[in-house]
């Protein structure tokens, strides 16, 4: 069975229909390319065929390349993988170029067969690169469809001609949002932007009509015509010059040079613009090979696509029946409770939102209203949708309203007593089968479960702030948490379309356990006299969205003080962070609590806009004359988090390194180019990591001692992904 079928109608129009069996969405693989190639040859060779329409047998056109295959391409490309990849890519290019040239005489540009793409719905990645090679693109008027090139989001770039063709079609400036940001458009907007040609009710019929009426001149691409000029100007044209200089600066400003794919994309676009089309394609293929050879691309694809999807589909879900949530109770309508109520109601779940006072409950509900109003202003939400979502939220103080809730998420104050009180009140009303979850960020789940009559149905569901934006949800199993509760939490997270990780109960669970040492390392360096700007920039150059000082400003310095005091109380003499507290407490004493007080490690204007680092910092913590090397600061910031991730695995808090990697990127923006802490260690090599730890331990203390597991992986010459196998399970 092939992925493409072929038929010719009475008018002589051949239709090539893409329909991958047993998949809801078409994706391209190597065999698919071969099949398509053979059918294009057949259509061009057949005198009875006047033109070709390429379409799909599904509701969408295609989701893109099969990324599982891209991830494996390097490994299967033989002894000289770069050469193997380059040859493979050029073969695929030749198929698309064949479509574009359509059998025409290369000199006279006559005699080719018109080939049109008819897109019933979504067309992404190669699913848009094939249409780009066709002579005209028709799309159904389907507002749910998305068209574009999202490759950059998973660490690659459009490398099947998409970069070269889009830049030549619309100019570098106009193409930039689609190539560099992976911006996707619905068909109407895609037509407005010039990505496609026509939006029609029946794209196949329209495409057939068009191929029958198209003339020779209609099927010659502008770049194959004499005197072609690139829209917006080529690089050495004054306007083009500005574009490329500007784009380079913009990309570097956004990525700090930490994302190889963005750099390679720019190089392919720039160098390609200086040469004829066929050479530009070779250049694109070369840069694409370069990106595929970079371990960052396979690590990003593995974490941000393959493993993220596996976790979302329930890779670690216990085998129990469907636990979808029908009625949710949210206790506490503060910042977190309000957000949880919104994302749940928005996903179609009925919500009872409880607070101690009616005003507070109403305020929590009005948070949803605010988000929906913003959505309406942007044309994304209709009046009906707003009414529907708000209609699902019952804001009340009455616990009796929790009757019939199958899941409770508690988000009241971070206080064991208050939490115990609301647990008892809710459990008095909810069905015996209901699951009770706490959103605590610091209190052990097993301790909070003591307040529950049913500790087997008690679990942690830890959201990140702001709830409607953050993609990760950490599910925490207490000592007695049973399988049904885990499945319930996972099914709930799936309903609200977020990504779950499942971890065991230990101080700060997983994400905060790693984030806190990152912040603390930054604060320690300030106390030691390292330039605060060096600390922040070192983090940004590693690809972190926020440096540690900005991060603590965002999460608030008084929260840091609270956590430090509680940790010290719990750990007693073993508490290792006095140097950190010195900095944190001094800032809190000055009332500099971070963004919320418009004063912290950074200065802020009256409107709360962040200015530069606070210039008094140097007066409080004298900046040393001898500053460390950038790489040393980076090693400290990186290892502070990564070693914690390894310890979490070693101690069984993490059970699956995939969760450790995906959770780190989605939870706190851990250097996405690396694929996560375990992928980073694999890229670096465990042996080298141990050597770095030894140096850091000598200079800065035992917190950098390499964990036993890391030493063992190094001693055995292993990698984390190699050792923990195909499923990446630690068990
Ligand atoms: P918040 O102070 O904004 O909200 C708490 C709400 O609970 C308030 O509206 C309060 O009136 C209500 N409340 C207190 N006692 C109550 C009671 N007995 N009955 C009913 N309602 C009661 O706090 P928050 O930031 O939303 O945090 C809530 C929980 O989520 C905490 O456990 C916190 O640790 C956790 N959490 C917070 C964050 C964060 O970034 N803020 C992130 C993850 C988890």
């Amino acid at each position: 069975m092939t992925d493409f079928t072929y038929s010719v109608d009475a008018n002589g129009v051949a239709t090539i229909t893409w329909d991958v069996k047993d998949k809801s969405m078409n994706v391209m693989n190597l065999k698919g390319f071969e099949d398509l190639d053979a059918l294009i040859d057949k259509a061009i060779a057949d005198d009875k065929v006047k033109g070709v329409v390429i379409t799909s047998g599904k509701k969408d056109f295609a989701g893109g390349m099969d990324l599982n295959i891209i991830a494996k391409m390097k490994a299967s490309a033989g002894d000289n993988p770069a050469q193997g990849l380059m040859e493979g890519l050029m073969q695929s290019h030749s198929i698309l170029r064949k479509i574009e040239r359509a059998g025409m005489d290369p000199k006279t540009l006559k005699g080719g067969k018109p080939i049109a793409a008819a897109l019933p719905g979504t067309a992404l990645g190669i699913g848009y690169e094939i249409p780009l090679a066709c002579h005209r693109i028709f799309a159904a008027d389907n507002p749910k469809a998305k068209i574009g090139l999202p490759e950059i989001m998973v660490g690659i770039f459009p490398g099947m001609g998409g970069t070269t063709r889009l830049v030549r079609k619309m100019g570098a400036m106009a193409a930039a949002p689609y190539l560099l940001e992976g911006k996707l458009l619905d068909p109407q907007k895609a037509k407005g932007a010039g990505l496609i040609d026509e939006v029609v009710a029946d794209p196949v019929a329209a495409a057939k009509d068009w191929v029958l009426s198209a003339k020779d001149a209609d099927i010659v691409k502008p770049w194959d015509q004499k005197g072609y000029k690139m829209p917006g100007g080529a690089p050495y044209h004054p306007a083009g010059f500005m574009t490329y200089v500007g784009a380079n600066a913009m990309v570097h400003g956004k990525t700090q040079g930490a994302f190889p794919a963005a750099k390679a994309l720019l190089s392919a676009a720039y160098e390609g613009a200086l040469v004829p089309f066929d050479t530009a394609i070779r250049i694109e293929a070369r840069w694409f090979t370069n990106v595929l050879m970079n371990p960052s691309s396979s690590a990003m694809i593995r974490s941000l696509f393959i493993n993220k999807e596996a976790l979302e589909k329930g890779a670690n879900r216990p085998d129990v029946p469907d636990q979808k949530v029908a009625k949710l109770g949210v206790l506490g309508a503060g910042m977190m409770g309000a957000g949880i109520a919104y994302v749940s109601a928005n996903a179609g779940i009925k919500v009872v939102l409880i607070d101690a006072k009616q005003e507070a409950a109403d305020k929590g509900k009005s948070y949803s209203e605010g988000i929906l109003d913003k959505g309406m202003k942007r044309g994304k939400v209709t009046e009906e949708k707003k009414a529907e979502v708000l209609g699902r939220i019952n804001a009340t103080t009455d616990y009796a309203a929790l009757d019939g809730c199958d899941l409770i998420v508690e988000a009241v104050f971070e206080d064991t007593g208050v939490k115990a009180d609301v647990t008892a009140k809710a459990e008095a009303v909810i069905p015996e089968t209901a699951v009770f979850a706490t959103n605590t960020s610091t209190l052990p789940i097993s301790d909070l479960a003591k307040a529950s009559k049913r500790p087997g149905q008690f679990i942690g569901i830890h959201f990140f702030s702001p709830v409607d934006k953050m993609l990760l949800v950490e599910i925490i199993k207490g000592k007695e948490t049973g399988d049904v509760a885990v499945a319930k939490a996972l099914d709930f997270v799936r309903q609200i379309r977020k990504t779950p990780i499942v971890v065991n109960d230990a101080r700060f669970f997983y994400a905060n356990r790693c984030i806190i040492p990152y912040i603390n390392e930054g604060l320690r360096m300030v106390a030691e006299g390292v330039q605060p700007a060096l600390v922040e920039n070192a983090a940004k150059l590693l690809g972190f969205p926020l440096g540690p000082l900005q991060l603590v400003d965002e999460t608030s310095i008084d929260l840091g003080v609270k956590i430090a005091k509680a940790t010290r109380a719990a750990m007693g003499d073993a508490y290792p962070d006095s140097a950190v507290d010195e900095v944190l407490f001094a800032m809190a004493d000055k009332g500099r609590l971070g963004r919320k007080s418009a004063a912290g490690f950074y200065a802020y204007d009256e409107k709360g806009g962040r200015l530069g680092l606070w210039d008094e910092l140097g007066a409080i913590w004298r900046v040393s004359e001898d500053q460390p090397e950038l790489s040393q600061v980076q090693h400290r910031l990186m290892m502070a988090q990564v070693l914690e991730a390894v310890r979490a695995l070693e101690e069984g808090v993490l059970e699956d390194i995939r969760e450790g990697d995906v959770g780190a990127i989605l939870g706190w923006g851990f250097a996405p180019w690396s694929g996560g802490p375990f992928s980073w260690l694999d890229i670096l090599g465990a042996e080298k990591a141990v050597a770095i730890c030894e140096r850091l331990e000598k200079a800065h203390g035992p917190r950098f001692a390499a964990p036993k597991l890391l030493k063992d992986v190094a001693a055995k010459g292993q990698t984390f992904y190699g050792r923990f196998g195909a499923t990446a399970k630690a068990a």
Side-chain angles (χ1 to χ4, degrees), residues 87-407:
E87 281 166 9
L89 288 173
M90 286 314 295
Q91 239 163 18
S92 311
H93 276 301
S94 73
I95 302 166
L96 297 192
R97 192 63 173 139
K98 190 188 292 173
I99 292 175
E100 193 158 55
R101 300 296 251 174
M104 70 182 70
D105 181 311
K107 287 220 173 72
T108 63
L109 304 178
K110 290 195 185 336
K113 292 185 182 178
I115 303 183
L119 315 177
T122 289
L124 301 177
I126 187 74
Y128 175 56
E129 288 176 304
I130 293 172
L132 265 180
C134 295
H135 305 123
R136 201 158 178 86
I137 309 174
F138 296 83
D141 193 3
N142 170 357
K144 288 211 171 121
K146 295 263 170 277
I147 295 174
L149 300 164
E151 285 87 340
I152 200 80
M153 312 300 285
V154 290
I156 52 177
F157 71 92
M160 291 288 166
T163 299
T164 303
R165 286 195 175 87
L166 207 62
V167 168
R168 274 171 157 72
K169 188 177 166 78
M170 55 205 306
M173 181 79 105
Y178 312 106
L179 296 174
L180 283 167
E181 294 163 25
K183 186 173 175 185
L184 308 177
L185 298 179
D186 65 39
Q188 291 290 1
K189 292 208 178 89
K191 178 173 185 291
L195 293 182
I196 60 170
D197 301 301
E198 293 193 39
V199 179
V200 292
D202 182 346
V204 173
K208 283 186 170 183
D209 286 348
W210 183 82
V211 298
L212 287 172
S213 65
K215 306 273 176 304
D216 277 339
D218 296 333
I219 70 165
V220 181
K221 288 289 172 67
W223 44 91
D224 285 326
Q225 292 167 15
K226 260 217 174 101
Y228 163 73
K229 286 215 166 47
M230 189 167 293
Y236 289 118
H237 181 277
F241 183 78
M242 294 309 289
T243 304
Y244 284 93
V245 170
N248 209 11
M250 191 189 83
V251 169
H252 205 79
K254 274 196 182 164
T255 64
Q256 307 289 330
F259 291 82
K263 263 195 204 168
L265 165 64
L266 270 186
S267 299
Y270 173 82
E271 293 166 20
L274 297 170
V275 294
F277 183 85
D278 289 303
T279 315
I281 285 290
R282 287 194 75 78
I283 290 174
E284 185 193 291
R286 223 172 247 152
W287 278 113
F288 197 56
T289 303
N290 178 292
V291 164
L292 292 180
M293 290 299 294
N294 190 316
S296 162
S297 64
S298 24
M300 274 182 89
I301 291 173
R302 184 175 59 200
S303 290
L304 288 174
F305 177 74
I306 298 170
N307 291 343
K308 176 173 172 289
E309 197 175 89
L311 298 178
E312 285 163 1
K313 285 192 173 155
N316 292 326
R317 186 186 184 281
D319 188 13
V320 296
D322 184 15
Q323 294 292 322
K324 244 194 254 107
V325 178
K327 185 174 173 190
L328 172 76
V330 178
L331 311 184
M335 185 165 94
M336 298 305 287
I340 297 164
Y342 167 71
V343 295
S344 307
N346 197 41
I349 302 171
K350 264 206 225 157
V351 179
V352 179
L353 179 59
I354 294 212
D355 208 295
K357 295 230 168 69
Q358 186 62 40
E359 282 161 66
D362 291 340
K363 186 165 169 242
K365 180 169 174 175
S366 70
Y367 176 77
S368 290
E369 197 168 357
I371 298 183
L372 291 161
D373 282 342
K374 263 192 217 150
M376 278 177 61
K377 270 197 198 125
R378 284 189 285 125
K380 300 239 174 217
V381 175
T382 59
E383 190 72 55
E384 300 79 68
K385 163 99 181 175
K386 177 181 160 187
E388 230 174 71
V389 175
L390 291 178
R392 288 193 196 109
I393 304 177
N394 172 13
T396 177
T397 57
D398 182 9
Y399 279 74
L402 295 176
D403 187 23
C405 282
D406 48 331
L407 176 69

Side-chain angles (χ1 to χ4, degrees), residues 606-642:
E606 312 82 61
K607 286 191 187 142
R610 195 165 44 82
L611 303 168
L613 279 156
W614 183 39
D615 50 17
E616 298 287 308
L617 285 178
I620 309 175
W621 295 282
R622 211 171 64 79
V623 173
S624 317
E625 274 178 24
D626 264 355
Q627 287 295 307
E629 293 280 324
L630 172 69
S631 62
Q632 209 186 333
V633 176
Q634 290 183 320
H635 282 155
R636 286 179 70 175
L637 292 175
M638 217 46 178
M639 284 300 182
Q641 308 164 66
V642 169

Side-chain angles (χ1 to χ4, degrees), residues 450-517:
K450 287 182 189 146
S452 168
K453 284 188 286 190
R454 302 182 280 264
Q457 287 156 236
F458 194 97
I459 193 163
I461 302 186
H462 181 214
F463 284 86
F464 295 81
S465 171
V467 176
D468 57 303
K469 299 238 166 65
M470 296 298 286
L471 300 172
L472 186 73
V473 177
E474 198 172 17
I475 295 169
I476 305 117
K477 294 186 279 188
K479 276 195 201 89
E480 295 183 57
T481 304
D483 280 355
V484 171
V486 175
K488 186 96 195 167
L490 282 166
D491 291 356
F492 171 53
V493 172
R494 192 169 182 178
Q495 275 173 284
I496 57 173
R497 292 182 289 275
K498 295 199 183 283
T499 309
I501 61 170
V502 182
V503 301
N504 286 305
D505 196 14
R507 182 181 301 284
F508 303 135
F509 319 130
Y510 174 61
N512 285 341
R513 174 182 182 145
C514 300
I515 300 169
I516 293 169

